[in-house]
């Protein structure tokens, strides 16, 4: 178990390349910090789903949120453009193999199966985590813009037309949250 | 929900003061990155507990691990010495109140009750997360020492005589992991 | 004396949490750098006071400015919100005790008495340093805004209605300086 | 031309992941800084080759050294382990396509042909730059170790048995330089 | 050769003071990263000159671009204001002597002669590199402004009335590039 | 007064080049943080002088300590080697002129006269501050070494044979402090 933990610990230092490639300082956000943000968002979201009567396996949500980026410790946080050159299939395949090796010493099959579920967005839980992943990204962008960062417009496009494949009630909860983020951003820029 | 997420996002930038006060560079580890480490450790540990027949509520473990440091966004990551001057009771009370305000908009009572459980180490799950908290700390120290950092000896004292109040089988699992960390450290320093 | 100097040296690395919690990069300003700014401001202000016939003990001003944040090396740079949860009395008491321990080896009573004076704003010198503390903060905010930072509006509120309890001539000198900072800020934002 | 220059400028901020994954601070070395180091090393090496009568096209050497990492602005600085999962062929193909797109607006064919030459180590000039790439890496490791970094042993393996496919005289020049680096390292660690 | 390479490696960490003195974070741009940017710009520019029939020695261009800032490893990256106090003649003399010592072990005369050429802007190649030096600076400013930085207006003055002493055709190529940078900046600020 | 304060504020970000040129991270120590350290050291030292019956003007000590590095905001923190190339006379002259311009708006003659005193080590107070300057440097080196930094041996030479031109009793106080620093260092390295 120790070797897995030692390896995961490296995610605390690995920069999310999206920020540094856009001129923000090194250390803006680590993969570990992002994973924390996604997990916290996913928990709040899952509890809201449950409160509105949507059946959701919260343990599964939290597990997927925590582990969805572990492959990056071996593959790196590839910029979006990298996918254009490797192809998204090759990227998924490489990341799946890397994930599998990262957890080799501790996995009885559960972790890899959760990872696959997430990659294929099979379950509601996987789709919920994907929504949390995007929401955490947008809240990070909002925080950076509030602190003065610019040049991050492209990140907002996904917020305009989210495609999470969630059923009606779930989709509406996510949509309302996205809308409140967009409103906060509008307010921010009106005040400048 | 948005205001809570915006506030939690700040933990991604908040430095763990333990490192900077010992002369390590700013940005060594954020509270968010530590929370990720604790959560990942707690999940692996909980799964090991379960595999050895210990009844453990893993959803609860993950929830506690994720939220156990949220109060710091309002109270800061106070150095250990601060507790000497405020008193550990006052510190707990302040942090409990701060936690309660952080989650005010999203809590139906569950989050605060999990936080209290953790502060009092009531449940097995709370005690497991405390063990994960210490293990993540030690793995971070090990990683820093491997990269050349020195002057961190005091952190290892807790590893020598852990007091997690775990029952036999659980205590042994944790003890073995701690032992493997100590061995890795010994090996590291023998090689220097 | 050495142990005191070693401890104070740690203030060079301790981040002012106000900035990191607002999304600015780690390393934006250390407590030591702020103490330097307050001391330099206090010296210029004290000399202006003296030039206008106000009796001021400049040695005392410089001593207070230098040492007013030393407690933070043990208590940390607590965010403003922390005071809400600890209470300002408990915070002052803890910081006073921490200060006392920091200087234990070198203090014949003078340092602690100057610290108490500052905490209670007893003397003109203490009140002058408090004004310098706020002015250094605002000049830092101005510099950050000039470099592009945003989201720091709340810091400017204190500049609108300063309460330093200074007598007429002194109050006017401080007021003029604050006004020139506000003008510089207005000019900055008109140019954007 | 502007769009190419804007894109290349991003390499100034992109961290070399090798360091951050080994626990060194963000900002330890950017891809641009490394490219500078390789180019400077390559120039000195090429001049030494020439001085010893080896025919070498120095303009070509400098061009290859400058541009050999430009693909990373689109693909990222992938950690070594990434190659295991993508396969070195897929990686080369992706990087070649990325390079080609980076220079699309300014290339009449020369840049891509130099890039291919480097990837295949066709020419003496390409092999010289590869040697310079490794030498700059080792000098960086040496500087980090001199400043106290540890845990970088694996980088030294390549220095023990370099495979640059250089002819006798050239191989000897490179070998002597590698040897002097190894000696400097030995001296460094003897002094500790 | 090793001692020269070890010394040059330090340029990877040396901050360009222009940014830090204007409130941008430490690590914004190293001298080595800037040298890379100047070299890449110079190569593209030289190839454009050649394509339009201007006779230019590209090997010489690349050499000058690479080495033009090496003296800074001994003299530091002095802020512009420093020249006012030392005088530009004393500064040039000091930097020339420093450069000469940096390359003492590896120079047969060529490097110093290229350095002198650059300092005096004797050749077309030297003047081309000076233009690349300014262009890389402006593209860096543009990138920083795109990421939200402000307070950098003074850097743009040189772009309005460049004095590179280039002959007609060369001057026009540089002028067009400068114009496209100015346009990009205008567009950037219109979008804010 | 505002323009002076705005300019001095830049010292909070200006890195001490000695560290970055030796491979330590950017942001290791700012000129402002160092000035704080020198001022705190000078105050403790001056109080010890006074306690032992040495007549010392403490206000003057604190003023000199605070302002002794202000010229660097215009001239930069030049590395030691820079003095070799400019000559120490030219450096002093440039720094004196820069200091004079920094304080132009606020100086009635006192600041420049204190600066000159420091540069010439005329008074006991100036010599005391010089000793504090060296002691703060050594305590910083000690802290960096305690945190794992290496390669800083050359800084310790001055501690072996200090030349502060202090009279007997004063020299002995400084000597004892230096000795305790050297002892702490010896102990540190014995423990490794």
């Amino acid at each position: 178990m120790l070797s897995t933990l030692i390896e995961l610990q490296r995610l605390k230092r690995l920069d999310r390349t999206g920020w540094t490639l856009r001129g923000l300082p090194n250390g803006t956000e680590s993969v570990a910090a992002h994973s924390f943000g996604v997990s916290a968002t996913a928990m709040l979201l899952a509890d809201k789903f449950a409160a509105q009567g949507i059946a959701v396996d919260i343990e599964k949500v939290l597990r997927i949120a925590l582990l969805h980026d572990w492959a990056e410790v071996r593959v790196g946080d590839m910029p979006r453009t990298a996918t254009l050159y490797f192809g998204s299939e090759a990227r998924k395949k490489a990341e799946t193999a890397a994930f599998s090796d990262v957890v080799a010493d501790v996995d009885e099959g559960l972790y890899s199966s959760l990872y696959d579920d997430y990659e294929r967005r099979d379950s509601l839980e996987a789709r919920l985590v994907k929504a949390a992943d995007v929401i955490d990204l947008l809240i990070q962008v909002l925080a950076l813009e509030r602190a003065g960062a610019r040049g991050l417009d492209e990140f907002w496009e996904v917020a305009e037309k989210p495609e999470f494949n969630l059923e009606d009630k779930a989709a509406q909860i996510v949509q309302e949250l996205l809308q409140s983020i967009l409103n906060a951003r509008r307010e921010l820029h009106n005040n400048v």
Side-chain angles (χ1 to χ4, degrees), chain A:
Chain A
M1 184 150 113
L2 180 58
S3 64
T4 308
L5 292 176
I6 286 175
E7 194 164 9
L8 292 180
Q9 183 278 339
R10 292 181 192 150
L11 293 171
K12 295 179 181 176
R13 198 46 80 72
L14 192 67
D15 258 340
R16 298 250 290 164
T17 19
W19 311 129
T20 43
L21 284 175
R22 278 165 193 83
L24 294 167
N26 293 113
T28 291
E29 188 192 31
S30 67
V31 173
H34 169 66
S35 293
F36 163 77
V38 175
S39 299
T41 305
M43 183 170 79
L44 298 196
L45 216 47
D47 286 334
K48 191 138 195 182
F49 278 28
Q52 304 224 356
I54 304 169
V56 57
D57 178 345
I58 296 182
E59 180 188 322
K60 187 173 167 184
V61 165
L62 295 177
R63 285 177 180 278
I64 294 177
L66 260 179
L67 62 70
H68 82 287
D69 271 342
W70 290 4
E72 300 196 1
V73 81
R74 296 206 175 191
V75 169
D77 181 56
M78 297 167 73
R80 290 180 181 197
T81 44
T83 310
L84 300 176
Y85 299 104
F86 282 102
S88 76
E89 274 323 295
R91 181 171 175 169
K92 273 188 188 177
K93 219 176 119 192
E95 291 185 340
T96 301
F99 179 86
S100 178
D101 284 356
V102 169
V103 298
D105 282 358
V106 293
D107 195 16
E108 306 286 334
L110 175 61
Y111 304 147
S112 284
S113 118
L114 291 170
Y115 188 83
D116 290 343
D117 183 351
Y118 180 69
E119 283 303 310
R120 288 193 307 259
R121 315 279 189 264
D122 275 348
S123 63
L124 167 64
E125 288 76 13
R127 293 192 291 272
L128 185 161
V129 173
K130 183 61 200 173
D133 185 54
V134 168
I135 287 163
D136 182 67
L137 173 70
L138 295 177
I139 287 172
Q140 178 68 42
V141 175
L142 185 67
L144 290 169
E145 292 189 343
R146 202 184 292 269
R150 295 294 174 263
L152 305 171
D153 291 352
E154 69 198 276
F155 290 106
W156 292 101
E157 286 163 27
V158 68
E160 302 288 355
K161 41 169 181 51
E163 290 181 18
F164 301 127
N165 262 321
L166 291 163
E167 47 277 56
D168 283 7
K169 237 188 313 183
Q172 196 185 329
I173 292 170
V174 168
Q175 188 52 41
E176 278 167 16
L177 182 52
L178 283 173
Q179 202 52 54
S180 69
I181 299 174
L182 287 168
N183 290 344
R185 195 198 181 209
R186 209 162 299 125
E187 200 180 340
L188 173 69
H189 289 288
N190 284 344
N191 286 345
V192 166

